[in-house]
Amino acid sequence: MHVFKFGGASIKSAKEVKNATAIISVHKDRPLMIVVSAMGKTTNALEQLTEYFFQGKKDSSIILFNEIKRYHIEIAMELCDDKNCELVTSLEQKFSLLENVLNDTPGNNYDFEYDRIVSFGEELSAMIIGYYLNESSIPNRWFNAKDIIITDARYRDANVYWDKTFEAVENLLLPFFNSHTKEALHPIAITQGFIGGTITGYVTTLGREGSDYTAAVLAYVLNAYEVCIWKDVPGLLNADPKIAEQTNLLPNISYQEAIELAYYGAKVIHPKTLKPLLNKNIPLRVKSFYDPDEEGTLINDNKKLDKLTPSYIFKSNQVMLSISPKDFSFIAEKNLSIIFSEFAKHNIRINMMQNSAISFSVCFDFDKIKTPSLINDLERIFRVESLYDKELLTIRHYRNANLHPFIKNRKVILEQKTCDTLQLLVKKQE
Ligand code: ASP
């Protein structure tokens, strides 16, 4: 059993869907679990749609809804060779359901509504890919992720209930895979990445870019031989090619190193993905869907090459808060525990922190909703100074690193070093 995950870019148009189908067709000599993301930038569009819905911006919401619909229907028509096909009818029905949601009055729980709307992206892509595989004589069956990845009700960032997920997979997926063992064709199942469902059947999402994690969860539960993430890059690179002029492919790194890179914000793999794979020693390959014959990057238990290449991770849109007590107390355990519990309450992950006797500096990703609400709560107890729009550069194995291209025209405002990792919070020079 192999688990294949196709990200948004790898299925962003009819041409890419055909390419993904060709890749699957080459690998249909083994049971396959296919996990798909929403097509192209659909999740961003659906996030925007959720905001319009919440703000009651009806006109903007209709325009955007129609754009998302047109995008999917056009891909479907191209895959159906423009003839009237049942895929278009099914997509239209799905869009009517989304329209019904948008015609409702939003409840108070933004994250709940977000999951209801944003989850449509993956469902639409699973429908399109499932259909086209069938058309290409690759029979497959769709399993709704909501029924197999069982989570808590922490909408927008749900946690997997492993026992329940095992049970669901045993009841739904395994009979499908087992029923095929005597047949010539190997079974192919398809499901949405990033999506889960509560015990009571409400849809949840696992956090942005969470489809990789879905692939890992399913690989773990199904005891897969290997997971392959198909991407628009040749594999794991030591820097984001959108930012760095020069990048190197990392041919093989350990799970631990990949976990560190993802933790510091390397965008290639969702941070939660590696742990389930590490626990069962399931290798993860990151491969290019443009060059499927290339080896890409292999992530496994081999640590030998980890320190050879410096990796650069760049995060923009950082907020830095300097928090100090209003009274004469120091930043000691009691104040720190209050500060950390506020971060936990608002579900904000800290990217870097430093403390002195009277002030605690902390940096994290800006979020339109969570950041003001955190600051508001902190200000009840502390004096809070905030700086916006900063950038965080993390370098793993920095000894032979070339920092210049990353920090030229920038001023370092906070620096931290361990033996393996250097972090710099910087701001652009005016
Ligand atoms: N479609 C979701 C996102 O863009 C999940 C994923 O692609 O992994 O965040």
Side-chain angles (χ1 to χ4, degrees):
M1 150 94 50
H2 281 58
V3 180
F4 278 7
K5 180 245 155 172
F6 290 93
S10 62
I11 46 173
K12 68 174 189 282
S13 70
K15 184 173 147 238
E16 263 82 16
V17 173
K18 287 179 185 170
N19 185 33
T21 305
I23 290 172
I24 293 166
S25 142
V26 171
H27 294 90
K28 66 180 187 213
D29 57 343
R30 64 203 81 175
L32 279 180
M33 178 75 238
I34 294 170
V35 175
V36 292
S37 296
M39 301 180 124
K41 302 269 183 241
T42 301
T43 306
N44 291 352
L46 289 167
E47 263 188 357
Q48 182 66 60
L49 191 60
T50 311
E51 256 177 57
Y52 289 152
F53 171 59
F54 239 76
Q55 294 160 348
K57 293 187 176 162
K58 256 269 152 281
D59 293 347
S60 311
S61 142
I62 293 169
I63 294 170
L64 187 54
F65 170 84
N66 286 332
E67 259 174 45
I68 300 169
K69 184 171 170 181
R70 192 175 337 112
Y71 170 62
H72 286 86
I73 301 281
E74 272 173 17
I75 292 178
M77 302 274 275
E78 214 178 314
L79 294 172
C80 297
D81 294 329
D82 287 339
K83 59 179 191 282
N84 252 355
C85 75
E86 108 213 26
L87 172 62
V88 172
T89 317
S90 324
L91 289 176
E92 268 164 357
Q93 284 164 356
K94 223 359 96 198
F95 276 104
S96 304
L97 294 180
L98 176 56
E99 211 167 8
N100 291 346
V101 173
L102 297 172
N103 284 333
D104 262 6
T105 315
N108 314 326
N109 187 342
Y110 181 86
D111 294 347
F112 174 79
E113 303 291 350
Y114 174 103
D115 285 358
R116 265 210 313 164
I117 295 171
V118 168
S119 57
F120 273 87
E122 269 67 17
E123 210 172 321
L124 295 163
S125 66
M127 284 166 77
I128 294 175
I129 288 152
Y131 169 88
Y132 192 70
L133 285 172
N134 266 326
E135 285 295 290
S136 314
S137 310
I138 307 175
N140 65 93
R141 190 157 137 205
W142 173 59
F143 289 85
N144 194 342
K146 180 168 153 298
D147 303 327
I148 47 175
I149 306 285
I150 311 302
T151 72
D152 63 8
R154 186 168 168 159
Y155 298 101
R156 238 178 125 182
D157 190 20
N159 296 299
V160 171
Y161 282 148
W162 287 93
D163 289 352
K164 301 269 173 217
T165 301
F166 264 102
E167 227 174 81
V169 167
E170 222 158 70
N171 292 334
L172 296 167
L173 269 175
L174 283 185
F176 170 72
F177 280 115
N178 292 338
S179 67
H180 280 68
T181 45
K182 290 188 192 76
E183 289 174 26
L185 274 180
H186 285 285
I188 297 183
I190 176 163
T191 194
Q192 317 97 289
F194 173 59
I195 307 300
T198 63
I199 298 167
T200 44
Y202 289 106
V203 71
T204 56
T205 61
L206 308 177
R208 285 301 307 263
E209 312 289 333
S211 299
D212 292 349
Y213 183 47
T214 306
V217 170
L218 289 173
Y220 184 90
V221 177
L222 291 164
N223 285 319
Y225 174 77
E226 186 173 285
V227 176
C228 185
I229 297 181
W230 296 93
K231 295 196 75 92
D232 55 350
V233 287
L236 226 61
L237 300 174
N238 72 330
D240 183 346
K242 287 186 197 113
I243 291 156
E245 283 160 22
Q246 232 198 329
T247 56
N248 295 319
L249 177 76
L250 304 169
N252 179 198
I253 59 168
S254 68
Y255 295 112
Q256 287 80 359
E257 182 60 21
I259 289 171
E260 294 289 350
L261 292 175
Y263 172 82
Y264 286 113
K267 292 216 186 74
V268 184
I269 296 166
H270 187 276
K272 284 186 190 164
T273 307
L274 279 314
K275 207 58 206 316
L277 302 179
L278 162 74
N279 287 358
K280 276 201 178 163
N281 207 356
I282 300 170
L284 170 66
R285 267 187 200 281
V286 182
K287 286 184 55 143
S288 159
F289 58 78
Y290 293 125
D291 297 304
D293 295 333
E294 294 296 322
E295 288 297 302
T297 297
L298 175 64
I299 301 170
N300 60 7
D301 55 1
N302 179 20
K303 294 191 177 129
K304 290 198 188 105
L305 308 179
D306 284 354
K307 290 183 197 274
L308 289 186
T309 318
S311 288
Y312 305 83
I313 303 145
F314 191 78
K315 282 186 137 214
S316 55
N317 214 1
Q318 298 295 298
V319 191
M320 184 178 123
L321 299 185
S322 297
I323 305 164
S324 46
K326 282 184 181 162
D327 56 19
F328 298 105
S329 64
F330 292 123
I331 287 283
E333 288 70 15
K334 187 153 173 274
N335 279 327
L336 283 172
S337 92
I338 300 171
I339 295 170
F340 284 130
S341 62
E342 285 300 333
F343 274 84
K345 185 176 102 193
H346 291 274
N347 195 15
I348 294 179
R349 225 202 89 207
I350 294 172
N351 294 331
M352 185 184 184
M353 57 190 165
Q354 221 164 61
N355 72 306
S356 70
I358 48 164
S359 161
F360 179 70
S361 301
V362 58
C363 141
F364 54 93
D365 298 355
F366 176 76
D367 180 285
K368 267 185 270 191
I369 311 274
K370 294 181 193 172
T371 307
S373 146
L374 167 78
I375 293 177
N376 205 23
D377 283 354
L378 284 170
E379 276 176 339
R380 287 189 198 156
I381 316 163
F382 301 99
R383 214 184 336 265
V384 181
E385 275 174 49
S386 27
L387 293 174
Y388 293 92
D389 223 10
K390 302 291 164 265
E391 296 163 335
L392 179 65
L393 175 64
T394 304
I395 304 116
R396 290 279 297 161
H397 313 298
Y398 56 89
R399 264 171 244 297
N400 300 317
N402 175 14
L403 292 183
H404 180 70
F406 296 93
I407 55 170
K408 68 174 178 213
N409 306 329
R410 288 176 165 83
K411 186 173 166 223
V412 176
I413 43 183
L414 206 62
E415 175 173 340
Q416 219 164 58
K417 226 180 218 180
T418 66
C419 54
D420 279 327
T421 310
L422 167 66
Q423 285 197 292
L424 303 170
L425 187 70
V426 296
K427 73 168 182 185
K428 279 196 196 109
Q429 303 270 42
E430 301 300 305

